[in-house]
Each structure stands twice: as C-alpha cells, then as structure tokens.
Amino acid sequence: MRHSTLRQLKVFEAIARLRSFTRAAEELFLTQPTVSMQIKKLTDEIGLPLFEQIGKKIYLTDAGQELFQTCHGIFEHIARFEMIASDMKGLKAGKLRLAVVTTAKYFTPRLLGIFCQKYPGIDVALIVTNRKRVLERLINNQDDLYILGQLPEEIDAVAEVFLDNPLVVLAPADHPLVNKKRIPIKRISDEPFILRESGSGTRMATERFFSEHNLKLKVRMELGSNEAIKQAIVGGLGISVLSHHTLALDAPTGHLAVLDVEGFPIERHWYYAYPSGKQLSIVAHAFLKYLQQASHFLKDLSCHHATSGHCPLLQNNEERKL
Ligand code: PGA
C-alpha cells in the first residue's frame, strides 16, 4: 500500500461507514467520479476488492472490513498528533472540527465568525448534516465537538445546553389560521403537513409532540431541508413545524407566519456534546467556553417571536452527562 494516500483512505472510510458512494461524496464535498476514481486506485494498489454491491446495497468484503478497522486506528493516531501539535501552538493556530445538525447552520457560522476574528490562526472544518448522522459521527469520535438537540440516553457523552431552540408552527402569511389565538392542536393535525426527512431531530420532536397528544399528522410531503420546507409552505403545499431559528436573517419576510397554537413553541434546546472521556484540545475547549456565552452573541435569535407560548430562558450551564 505504499502508494495509497491518506485521501484515498478517507474516501474509503466514508463509503464504508455510510455504505453509500453518494453520501460519502456529499460528506467529503467531492464529486462521485472523484470518489469512484480514488477507490479504484486504492483497490488496484491493494489488489483485492474492498466492496461488493448486491442489488442497490454496498457491503464490505473481508479485506474491506480489515481496512476499515485499520483506517480507524490511523485516523485516531493522526487526530491525537494534531491535538498535541495544536496544543503546542496554543490558540495561535490549530484546528477545530465541528459537526452540527442541519438546523444549527442558522447560527453556527455566525458564532464561528466571531470566534475566528478573535483567533484568526484557527482553521475550522464544519460538517452540517442531520441528527442521525451527527450522532453517528459522535459515536465514531470523528470531530472535536458536536452541536445538536438532546442526546439519546444510551449514548455515553458529555452534553450541555447553551441555547434555546423553540419549534414553531409555520404557515403561509395568507393562511386562514393566521392571527387566530390559541389554535387547538387538533386543528393543526387536520392541515396538510410538510415533514423533515427521517433522521431529523426536528421531525423526531414534532412526531413525539403530536403522538403525545394522540394525534396523527396528515403528512403531504417529506423534504430534507428547512429551506425547501419554507419554500413549500410559501407555495401553499402545507404547514410545518420548524425551529424558529430557520427564520433568521434570510427568511422570506412577509411570506411566512408563525401560528399561535396551544402547546407551542415546543421547547427544544441546543447542546454541545463530545464523547465521555474525550480529551478536548485547547482550541475545542476555548470554543466550548465561547459557546456558553452564545446567547449574548445571538441576541436576535432569542425568543421574542410572535408566538403565545412562553420561551424558556437559557438553562443554567450545569454540565450533564447523558
Ligand atoms: P435537525 O436537528 O436539523 O436534524 O432537524 C435539529 C434538532 O435536533 O433540533
């Protein structure tokens, strides 16, 4: 394997983990032909097939399984070295690898902007993907820190609340329920509904909320992005429940309305998290301290929105092990 590169191993690891060339290409910001070419070179170099495709599914061959294990060892060693090297440089230089859920993209880049102004030498890698994949990355210890909604109890991680994440009911501005007060939840479940993709935290919280009220949503459409859902609402395809943060900055102002529905907003929170026992780099630790003050930097995202429900204040920053 003398001529195999780290890049080829990264591509291989992503395909093996995600069991998909397409998803690996997306995650690594590469085109599909590039991904296929890297794997072809790696396979030629090793001289054994690494994947086999049965129907639409991809499986690892025995050689593939072995290489997958080897990759984890290699990447762990490199990450450990990067941490040592970056700690040697202090906050003047170093790398911060963050993975955040889709909805956190409405505020994370802004927070990073302020952080990077303070520490211009720091190099940031930001992965934005849905809750299910962020959890996979956390379990595999692929990044320094994670931003997501509450963690499942079975995951052994340190997690701490740093910001509110109210979920609200959004409708087109000309919807007959706009300006109605205290709309019963049942009335919402009668409307055509647009739901996020499975694996999304927003979807999970929404489904849980309606099932706790013994109501079934009339799902008209599933869409994999908050932006696409907002456009679909404006297009009159239905209503939805999304984070209030999705209205930040570039909301199609005037086209969307937050409905005043009983029980809303659903009070969700943003957590930063990392696997229990992980030793944080100096850079990751500095970012974590900075996140604890995120609500000061994101004043416009605090909860003075047009819903009737109260908005919880930031919870205290007590560290929780979930
Ligand atoms: P999502 O996660 O962007 O995957 O919906 C948001 C959340 O967990 O609240």
Side-chain angles (χ1 to χ4, degrees):
M1 282 186 66
R2 269 194 305 145
H3 300 292
S4 304
T5 61
L6 207 53
R7 180 177 155 98
Q8 285 166 3
L9 292 181
K10 284 207 163 133
V11 171
F12 166 78
E13 191 277 337
I15 300 168
R17 179 170 34 84
L18 301 168
R19 298 294 153 108
S20 155
F21 278 61
T22 316
R23 281 173 63 189
E26 270 169 29
E27 181 177 298
L28 298 168
F29 301 109
L30 296 172
T31 62
Q32 277 231 34
T34 310
V35 164
S36 304
M37 197 184 61
Q38 297 288 341
I39 288 302
K40 184 173 178 327
K41 282 190 184 158
L42 185 64
T43 311
D44 290 350
E45 174 72 22
I46 292 172
L48 288 168
L50 301 169
F51 298 108
E52 54 195 7
Q53 187 157 1
I54 299 173
K56 282 199 166 164
K57 284 202 162 164
I58 289 177
Y59 296 89
L60 284 172
T61 60
D62 288 347
Q65 291 282 9
E66 284 297 325
L67 184 60
F68 191 41
Q69 299 300 331
T70 308
C71 280
H72 281 159
I74 294 172
F75 296 148
E76 240 178 81
H77 273 89
I78 294 178
R80 203 171 312 137
F81 171 73
E82 277 179 350
M83 195 179 97
I84 293 167
S86 96
D87 283 356
M88 285 171 172
K89 294 180 210 155
L91 287 167
K92 287 197 206 72
K95 193 154 182 158
L96 176 65
R97 284 167 309 182
L98 276 182
V100 309
V101 291
T102 324
T103 309
K105 78 167 186 196
Y106 292 95
F107 61 85
T108 310
R110 282 163 68 194
L111 285 175
L112 279 171
I114 306 168
F115 184 74
C116 291
Q117 264 170 25
K118 197 161 172 210
Y119 304 113
I122 288 172
D123 187 13
V124 180
L126 174 66
I127 301 266
V128 181
T129 186
N130 77 18
R131 173 179 170 86
K132 182 164 176 262
R133 294 190 203 160
V134 168
L135 287 173
E136 281 166 13
R137 294 185 69 89
L138 186 146
I139 292 166
N140 294 323
N141 189 21
Q142 286 179 272
D143 312 272
D144 295 317
L145 283 177
Y146 302 84
I147 295 179
L148 71 168
Q150 188 167 9
L151 269 82
E153 274 178 21
E154 64 275 15
I155 293 187
D156 190 15
V158 176
E160 190 180 337
V161 170
F162 69 94
L163 201 64
D164 293 339
N165 177 21
L167 303 189
V168 294
V169 183
L170 293 178
D174 57 358
H175 194 282
L177 292 175
V178 175
N179 295 328
K180 294 261 183 306
K181 296 272 170 247
R182 312 288 299 156
I183 303 161
I185 307 166
K186 166 86 181 69
R187 177 69 189 80
I188 295 304
S189 66
D190 292 338
E191 290 287 315
F193 201 88
I194 310 166
L195 201 58
R196 280 278 305 273
E197 80 285 6
S198 98
S200 142
T202 308
R203 174 182 174 137
M204 194 187 77
T206 306
E207 287 185 327
R208 189 189 299 145
F209 178 87
F210 282 92
S211 90
E212 277 169 8
H213 288 85
N214 297 319
L215 292 169
K216 210 169 159 1
L217 287 165
K218 272 209 214 146
V219 180
R220 178 169 201 187
M221 189 185 265
E222 283 186 21
L223 288 173
S225 107
N226 293 319
E227 288 306 302
I229 291 184
K230 286 192 309 191
Q231 296 301 329
I233 297 171
V234 174
L237 290 166
I239 63 169
S240 188
V241 171
L242 292 181
S243 166
H244 192 262
H245 292 170
T246 64
L247 299 177
L249 297 177
D250 64 345
T253 27
H255 299 300
L256 286 171
V258 176
L259 296 184
D260 178 2
V261 182
E262 280 177 349
F264 278 86
I266 300 175
E267 295 171 1
R268 230 167 131 65
H269 300 95
W270 293 117
Y271 289 74
Y272 61 73
Y274 54 92
S276 290
K278 183 176 176 78
Q279 219 197 320
L280 292 182
S281 68
I282 288 182
V283 175
H285 193 73
F287 189 66
L288 182 152
K289 288 279 153 214
Y290 164 77
L291 278 181
Q292 290 171 348
Q293 299 155 43
S295 56
H296 300 298
F297 297 113
L298 299 171
K299 287 223 162 45
D300 57 320
L301 287 182
S302 56
C303 305
H304 46 263
H305 49 79
T307 54
S308 64
H310 85 287
C311 226
L313 289 169
L314 244 189
Q315 291 192 352
N316 62 15
N317 281 330
E318 176 200 0
E319 203 149 66
R320 277 150 213 240
K321 195 162 163 297
L322 294 169

PDB file of all heavy atoms in Angstrom, residues 263-282:
ATOM      1  N   GLY A 263     -49.748  24.804  23.176  1.00  0.00           N
ATOM      2  CA  GLY A 263     -48.635  23.875  23.411  1.00  0.00           C
ATOM      3  C   GLY A 263     -47.355  24.261  22.687  1.00  0.00           C
ATOM      4  O   GLY A 263     -46.324  23.627  22.863  1.00  0.00           O
ATOM      5  N   PHE A 264     -47.439  25.296  21.847  1.00  0.00           N
ATOM      6  CA  PHE A 264     -46.248  25.744  21.113  1.00  0.00           C
ATOM      7  C   PHE A 264     -45.722  27.042  21.699  1.00  0.00           C
ATOM      8  O   PHE A 264     -46.496  27.789  22.267  1.00  0.00           O
ATOM      9  CB  PHE A 264     -46.587  25.945  19.623  1.00  0.00           C
ATOM     10  CG  PHE A 264     -46.553  24.643  18.875  1.00  0.00           C
ATOM     11  CD1 PHE A 264     -47.687  23.843  18.841  1.00  0.00           C
ATOM     12  CD2 PHE A 264     -45.403  24.218  18.243  1.00  0.00           C
ATOM     13  CE1 PHE A 264     -47.669  22.629  18.180  1.00  0.00           C
ATOM     14  CE2 PHE A 264     -45.374  23.009  17.568  1.00  0.00           C
ATOM     15  CZ  PHE A 264     -46.506  22.213  17.539  1.00  0.00           C
ATOM     16  N   PRO A 265     -44.423  27.339  21.550  1.00  0.00           N
ATOM     17  CA  PRO A 265     -43.416  26.536  20.882  1.00  0.00           C
ATOM     18  C   PRO A 265     -43.067  25.262  21.647  1.00  0.00           C
ATOM     19  O   PRO A 265     -43.184  25.215  22.865  1.00  0.00           O
ATOM     20  CB  PRO A 265     -42.192  27.457  20.833  1.00  0.00           C
ATOM     21  CG  PRO A 265     -42.387  28.404  21.957  1.00  0.00           C
ATOM     22  CD  PRO A 265     -43.870  28.583  22.124  1.00  0.00           C
ATOM     23  N   ILE A 266     -42.633  24.235  20.892  1.00  0.00           N
ATOM     24  CA  ILE A 266     -42.073  23.065  21.553  1.00  0.00           C
ATOM     25  C   ILE A 266     -40.691  23.504  22.047  1.00  0.00           C
ATOM     26  O   ILE A 266     -39.895  24.034  21.278  1.00  0.00           O
ATOM     27  CB  ILE A 266     -41.923  21.879  20.570  1.00  0.00           C
ATOM     28  CG1 ILE A 266     -43.281  21.477  19.989  1.00  0.00           C
ATOM     29  CG2 ILE A 266     -41.251  20.694  21.256  1.00  0.00           C
ATOM     30  CD1 ILE A 266     -43.208  20.390  18.902  1.00  0.00           C
ATOM     31  N   GLU A 267     -40.467  23.295  23.341  1.00  0.00           N
ATOM     32  CA  GLU A 267     -39.218  23.821  23.912  1.00  0.00           C
ATOM     33  C   GLU A 267     -38.076  22.833  23.736  1.00  0.00           C
ATOM     34  O   GLU A 267     -37.949  21.879  24.477  1.00  0.00           O
ATOM     35  CB  GLU A 267     -39.426  24.121  25.396  1.00  0.00           C
ATOM     36  CG  GLU A 267     -40.424  25.234  25.613  1.00  0.00           C
ATOM     37  CD  GLU A 267     -40.803  25.407  27.063  1.00  0.00           C
ATOM     38  OE1 GLU A 267     -40.262  24.669  27.909  1.00  0.00           O
ATOM     39  OE2 GLU A 267     -41.641  26.273  27.337  1.00  0.00           O
ATOM     40  N   ARG A 268     -37.313  23.078  22.707  1.00  0.00           N
ATOM     41  CA  ARG A 268     -36.126  22.274  22.484  1.00  0.00           C
ATOM     42  C   ARG A 268     -34.908  23.125  22.781  1.00  0.00           C
ATOM     43  O   ARG A 268     -35.010  24.360  22.827  1.00  0.00           O
ATOM     44  CB  ARG A 268     -36.126  21.849  21.005  1.00  0.00           C
ATOM     45  CG  ARG A 268     -35.904  20.394  20.812  1.00  0.00           C
ATOM     46  CD  ARG A 268     -36.210  19.982  19.405  1.00  0.00           C
ATOM     47  NE  ARG A 268     -35.132  19.183  18.860  1.00  0.00           N
ATOM     48  CZ  ARG A 268     -34.799  17.989  19.323  1.00  0.00           C
ATOM     49  NH1 ARG A 268     -35.433  17.473  20.344  1.00  0.00           N
ATOM     50  NH2 ARG A 268     -33.826  17.306  18.769  1.00  0.00           N
ATOM     51  N   HIS A 269     -33.776  22.493  22.987  1.00  0.00           N
ATOM     52  CA  HIS A 269     -32.555  23.260  23.286  1.00  0.00           C
ATOM     53  C   HIS A 269     -31.408  22.767  22.440  1.00  0.00           C
ATOM     54  O   HIS A 269     -31.398  21.624  21.994  1.00  0.00           O
ATOM     55  CB  HIS A 269     -32.181  23.117  24.771  1.00  0.00           C
ATOM     56  CG  HIS A 269     -33.246  23.620  25.675  1.00  0.00           C
ATOM     57  ND1 HIS A 269     -34.190  22.806  26.231  1.00  0.00           N
ATOM     58  CD2 HIS A 269     -33.536  24.879  26.084  1.00  0.00           C
ATOM     59  CE1 HIS A 269     -35.027  23.526  26.935  1.00  0.00           C
ATOM     60  NE2 HIS A 269     -34.653  24.779  26.868  1.00  0.00           N
ATOM     61  N   TRP A 270     -30.425  23.630  22.287  1.00  0.00           N
ATOM     62  CA  TRP A 270     -29.184  23.239  21.624  1.00  0.00           C
ATOM     63  C   TRP A 270     -28.177  22.829  22.668  1.00  0.00           C
ATOM     64  O   TRP A 270     -27.997  23.511  23.678  1.00  0.00           O
ATOM     65  CB  TRP A 270     -28.606  24.400  20.808  1.00  0.00           C
ATOM     66  CG  TRP A 270     -29.458  24.757  19.640  1.00  0.00           C
ATOM     67  CD1 TRP A 270     -30.103  25.930  19.422  1.00  0.00           C
ATOM     68  CD2 TRP A 270     -29.772  23.917  18.522  1.00  0.00           C
ATOM     69  NE1 TRP A 270     -30.804  25.871  18.239  1.00  0.00           N
ATOM     70  CE2 TRP A 270     -30.611  24.650  17.673  1.00  0.00           C
ATOM     71  CE3 TRP A 270     -29.423  22.619  18.159  1.00  0.00           C
ATOM     72  CZ2 TRP A 270     -31.107  24.142  16.486  1.00  0.00           C
ATOM     73  CZ3 TRP A 270     -29.921  22.109  16.979  1.00  0.00           C
ATOM     74  CH2 TRP A 270     -30.752  22.869  16.159  1.00  0.00           C
ATOM     75  N   TYR A 271     -27.523  21.713  22.375  1.00  0.00           N
ATOM     76  CA  TYR A 271     -26.474  21.206  23.248  1.00  0.00           C
ATOM     77  C   TYR A 271     -25.175  21.183  22.480  1.00  0.00           C
ATOM     78  O   TYR A 271     -25.171  20.930  21.274  1.00  0.00           O
ATOM     79  CB  TYR A 271     -26.747  19.744  23.634  1.00  0.00           C
ATOM     80  CG  TYR A 271     -27.904  19.537  24.581  1.00  0.00           C
ATOM     81  CD1 TYR A 271     -29.211  19.653  24.138  1.00  0.00           C
ATOM     82  CD2 TYR A 271     -27.686  19.190  25.911  1.00  0.00           C
ATOM     83  CE1 TYR A 271     -30.273  19.442  25.008  1.00  0.00           C
ATOM     84  CE2 TYR A 271     -28.739  18.975  26.786  1.00  0.00           C
ATOM     85  CZ  TYR A 271     -30.034  19.104  26.333  1.00  0.00           C
ATOM     86  OH  TYR A 271     -31.077  18.894  27.190  1.00  0.00           O
ATOM     87  N   TYR A 272     -24.063  21.424  23.177  1.00  0.00           N
ATOM     88  CA  TYR A 272     -22.793  20.986  22.590  1.00  0.00           C
ATOM     89  C   TYR A 272     -22.451  19.673  23.276  1.00  0.00           C
ATOM     90  O   TYR A 272     -22.872  19.435  24.422  1.00  0.00           O
ATOM     91  CB  TYR A 272     -21.668  22.021  22.712  1.00  0.00           C
ATOM     92  CG  TYR A 272     -21.275  22.391  24.101  1.00  0.00           C
ATOM     93  CD1 TYR A 272     -20.560  21.512  24.909  1.00  0.00           C
ATOM     94  CD2 TYR A 272     -21.612  23.645  24.616  1.00  0.00           C
ATOM     95  CE1 TYR A 272     -20.197  21.857  26.186  1.00  0.00           C
ATOM     96  CE2 TYR A 272     -21.253  23.992  25.904  1.00  0.00           C
ATOM     97  CZ  TYR A 272     -20.541  23.096  26.677  1.00  0.00           C
ATOM     98  OH  TYR A 272     -20.204  23.424  27.944  1.00  0.00           O
ATOM     99  N   ALA A 273     -21.759  18.816  22.594  1.00  0.00           N
ATOM    100  CA  ALA A 273     -21.500  17.494  23.158  1.00  0.00           C
ATOM    101  C   ALA A 273     -20.183  16.945  22.649  1.00  0.00           C
ATOM    102  O   ALA A 273     -19.658  17.398  21.618  1.00  0.00           O
ATOM    103  CB  ALA A 273     -22.633  16.546  22.756  1.00  0.00           C
ATOM    104  N   TYR A 274     -19.653  16.009  23.394  1.00  0.00           N
ATOM    105  CA  TYR A 274     -18.475  15.244  22.962  1.00  0.00           C
ATOM    106  C   TYR A 274     -18.472  13.922  23.712  1.00  0.00           C
ATOM    107  O   TYR A 274     -19.064  13.812  24.797  1.00  0.00           O
ATOM    108  CB  TYR A 274     -17.168  16.028  23.187  1.00  0.00           C
ATOM    109  CG  TYR A 274     -16.963  16.536  24.594  1.00  0.00           C
ATOM    110  CD1 TYR A 274     -16.269  15.777  25.530  1.00  0.00           C
ATOM    111  CD2 TYR A 274     -17.463  17.776  24.984  1.00  0.00           C
ATOM    112  CE1 TYR A 274     -16.083  16.247  26.833  1.00  0.00           C
ATOM    113  CE2 TYR A 274     -17.283  18.248  26.275  1.00  0.00           C
ATOM    114  CZ  TYR A 274     -16.590  17.474  27.196  1.00  0.00           C
ATOM    115  OH  TYR A 274     -16.423  17.936  28.475  1.00  0.00           O
ATOM    116  N   PRO A 275     -17.832  12.885  23.151  1.00  0.00           N
ATOM    117  CA  PRO A 275     -17.877  11.579  23.802  1.00  0.00           C
ATOM    118  C   PRO A 275     -17.260  11.646  25.195  1.00  0.00           C
ATOM    119  O   PRO A 275     -16.261  12.340  25.391  1.00  0.00           O
ATOM    120  CB  PRO A 275     -17.023  10.682  22.893  1.00  0.00           C
ATOM    121  CG  PRO A 275     -16.894  11.418  21.616  1.00  0.00           C
ATOM    122  CD  PRO A 275     -17.052  12.868  21.903  1.00  0.00           C
ATOM    123  N   SER A 276     -17.854  10.920  26.155  1.00  0.00           N
ATOM    124  CA  SER A 276     -17.293  10.890  27.510  1.00  0.00           C
ATOM    125  C   SER A 276     -15.861  10.409  27.443  1.00  0.00           C
ATOM    126  O   SER A 276     -15.551   9.481  26.697  1.00  0.00           O
ATOM    127  CB  SER A 276     -18.052   9.899  28.377  1.00  0.00           C
ATOM    128  OG  SER A 276     -19.313  10.382  28.635  1.00  0.00           O
ATOM    129  N   GLY A 277     -15.008  11.032  28.214  1.00  0.00           N
ATOM    130  CA  GLY A 277     -13.615  10.587  28.274  1.00  0.00           C
ATOM    131  C   GLY A 277     -12.754  11.228  27.200  1.00  0.00           C
ATOM    132  O   GLY A 277     -11.538  11.095  27.238  1.00  0.00           O
ATOM    133  N   LYS A 278     -13.364  11.925  26.254  1.00  0.00           N
ATOM    134  CA  LYS A 278     -12.550  12.556  25.198  1.00  0.00           C
ATOM    135  C   LYS A 278     -11.761  13.708  25.802  1.00  0.00           C
ATOM    136  O   LYS A 278     -12.301  14.504  26.569  1.00  0.00           O
ATOM    137  CB  LYS A 278     -13.462  13.091  24.088  1.00  0.00           C
ATOM    138  CG  LYS A 278     -12.688  13.695  22.924  1.00  0.00           C
ATOM    139  CD  LYS A 278     -13.655  14.116  21.830  1.00  0.00           C
ATOM    140  CE  LYS A 278     -12.950  14.819  20.691  1.00  0.00           C
ATOM    141  NZ  LYS A 278     -12.261  13.894  19.798  1.00  0.00           N
ATOM    142  N   GLN A 279     -10.491  13.784  25.412  1.00  0.00           N
ATOM    143  CA  GLN A 279      -9.686  14.902  25.889  1.00  0.00           C
ATOM    144  C   GLN A 279      -9.788  16.024  24.876  1.00  0.00           C
ATOM    145  O   GLN A 279      -9.372  15.863  23.723  1.00  0.00           O
ATOM    146  CB  GLN A 279      -8.248  14.443  26.033  1.00  0.00           C
ATOM    147  CG  GLN A 279      -7.607  15.036  27.278  1.00  0.00           C
ATOM    148  CD  GLN A 279      -6.117  14.921  27.199  1.00  0.00           C
ATOM    149  OE1 GLN A 279      -5.613  13.896  26.738  1.00  0.00           O
ATOM    150  NE2 GLN A 279      -5.430  15.953  27.608  1.00  0.00           N
ATOM    151  N   LEU A 280     -10.366  17.131  25.287  1.00  0.00           N
ATOM    152  CA  LEU A 280     -10.564  18.214  24.318  1.00  0.00           C
ATOM    153  C   LEU A 280      -9.256  18.956  24.073  1.00  0.00           C
ATOM    154  O   LEU A 280      -8.471  19.169  24.999  1.00  0.00           O
ATOM    155  CB  LEU A 280     -11.603  19.205  24.847  1.00  0.00           C
ATOM    156  CG  LEU A 280     -13.039  18.713  24.967  1.00  0.00           C
ATOM    157  CD1 LEU A 280     -13.932  19.837  25.446  1.00  0.00           C
ATOM    158  CD2 LEU A 280     -13.545  18.177  23.627  1.00  0.00           C
ATOM    159  N   SER A 281      -9.044  19.368  22.818  1.00  0.00           N
ATOM    160  CA  SER A 281      -7.863  20.185  22.508  1.00  0.00           C
ATOM    161  C   SER A 281      -8.074  21.572  23.117  1.00  0.00           C
ATOM    162  O   SER A 281      -9.204  21.947  23.472  1.00  0.00           O
ATOM    163  CB  SER A 281      -7.701  20.307  20.998  1.00  0.00           C
ATOM    164  OG  SER A 281      -8.764  21.076  20.479  1.00  0.00           O
ATOM    165  N   ILE A 282      -7.005  22.357  23.183  1.00  0.00           N
ATOM    166  CA  ILE A 282      -7.123  23.721  23.732  1.00  0.00           C
ATOM    167  C   ILE A 282      -8.121  24.525  22.903  1.00  0.00           C
ATOM    168  O   ILE A 282      -8.952  25.258  23.422  1.00  0.00           O
ATOM    169  CB  ILE A 282      -5.740  24.408  23.735  1.00  0.00           C
ATOM    170  CG1 ILE A 282      -4.873  23.759  24.819  1.00  0.00           C
ATOM    171  CG2 ILE A 282      -5.860  25.903  23.956  1.00  0.00           C
ATOM    172  CD1 ILE A 282      -3.499  24.383  24.962  1.00  0.00           C
TER     173      ILE A 282
END
